[in-house]
Structure formats: structure tokens, C-alpha cells
Amino acid sequence: MSLKETDQVRKNKFFTRWDIAVYLVLLAAVVISFVVLFLSASDRVQIDRLEIRCRGERVAVYDFAGDTLEIAEGREEMFRTEEDGGTLLIYIFPEEGAFNLLAVNRQARTADMRDADCSAGKDCTYMHVRAAGQTIVCVPHGLVIEGVRAEEDGSGGIVIG
């Protein structure tokens, strides 16, 4: 590089006016992309039902519209319910000596796993159903709670194992 070229580089600023314009356009594109992504992700589909499966078999369905828990025939001993203000507490006994406590908020149409006696760290107690398609999974008990819309057919199979 010649001395004249070196002096020219020193005289130039680190960013030219056009460099700054390009960086501002790129920054605006990134910000707009995040805003669009956030808005599309927050458009949640409301839950109409909670389907409760144990070891792949549907054992109960809670319907928010009718405020009813429909239990499969022969599975009545698996469930016990209690009221806690606007919350329905559903005790689920998937096997002998095991339990899960599902809290259903009727107003918000959400469900949270409040307690379980799993030996695997109670991972399911950190799970929530806030929108259709979300699930709570308790692997040790083979329990799956899924939020679905009324027009969805919940007859799909679940593979556990």
C-alpha cells in the first residue's frame, strides 16, 4: 500500500454515511422480524376440551363448555374431583399408590399439573396447557393431558415407550 493510500484510509471515518444507512435498514428488518414472530406466536387457540390419556388409552375428557368431566367406563376409580374457588382440582390415580393433581382454571381455560408423586423429579409439575395442542406429560405414570379444540378429533394414537 502506498503512502498516499494510507493517508486516504486515515482520513476516512470508520463508517461512511452509506454504511450507517445499511446497518439501520438491517436493524429495522431484524426488529420487525422479531415483532412479527412474537405476534404470530402469541396468537393462541383457545382450548375447548382437555383429553386425559393413560398409557395411550383415553380415560377421561374435561369439557370447558359443559364444565363436565366425562370418565371412560370402568375408569371411575382413577379420578376424584374437588373445588378450589374457580379451579377444579382433578386427582388422577394412574396406578396403585400413584397420583397426579391437575388444576383446571375454568375462566382462563387452562390446566396446570400441581403435584405428582413421580420418582423422576416431578417434571410434569412444570408443565401447563394454555392453548390447543399443548400437552402435559408424566412419563413415569404414562399420563398425557392435551388441550384440544372442539372440532379436532382426539382419536389419534399416542405411542409411549
Side-chain angles (χ1 to χ4, degrees):
M1 188 185 254
S2 72
L3 203 52
K4 187 175 182 180
E5 288 174 337
T6 306
D7 287 337
Q8 183 66 29
V9 169
R10 286 185 189 155
K11 285 182 187 178
N12 287 341
K13 296 179 183 174
F14 188 66
F15 292 111
T16 66
R17 184 177 341 166
W18 294 109
D19 291 338
I20 293 173
V22 168
Y23 290 133
L24 287 176
V25 168
L26 288 174
L27 179 65
V30 168
V31 168
I32 290 171
S33 297
F34 276 113
V35 168
V36 168
L37 182 64
F38 175 74
L39 290 178
S40 67
S42 66
D43 185 25
R44 296 184 174 167
V45 179
Q46 188 176 25
I47 304 168
D48 294 320
R49 294 188 325 250
L50 290 172
E51 294 194 357
I52 303 170
R53 290 185 160 87
C54 185
R55 308 266 180 233
E57 177 187 344
R58 185 174 15 188
V59 293
V61 175
Y62 176 78
D63 183 27
F64 283 100
D67 190 25
T68 57
L69 178 65
E70 300 170 16
I71 302 171
E73 213 174 299
R75 296 297 190 143
E76 294 83 9
E77 74 282 350
M78 282 183 66
F79 296 92
R80 191 182 83 211
T81 61
E82 289 181 10
E83 296 286 329
D84 183 22
T87 303
L88 175 66
L89 301 177
I90 302 174
Y91 290 88
I92 306 168
F93 304 98
E95 53 195 40
E96 185 75 28
F99 81 93
N100 291 74
L101 174 58
L102 182 68
V104 178
N105 185 326
R106 296 173 177 128
Q107 290 295 101
R109 291 188 173 218
T110 62
D112 302 304
M113 188 64 75
R114 281 208 184 151
D115 196 11
D117 68 343
C118 315
S119 60
K122 298 185 181 187
D123 290 337
C124 61
T125 61
Y126 301 106
M127 297 181 190
H128 317 283
V129 174
R130 304 274 187 254
Q134 294 180 340
T135 59
I136 297 172
V137 179
C138 180
V139 176
H141 294 156
L143 197 62
V144 176
I145 293 100
E146 180 181 9
V148 296
R149 296 188 328 216
E151 59 268 4
E152 291 180 8
D153 180 14
S155 62
I158 296 176
V159 178
I160 299 177

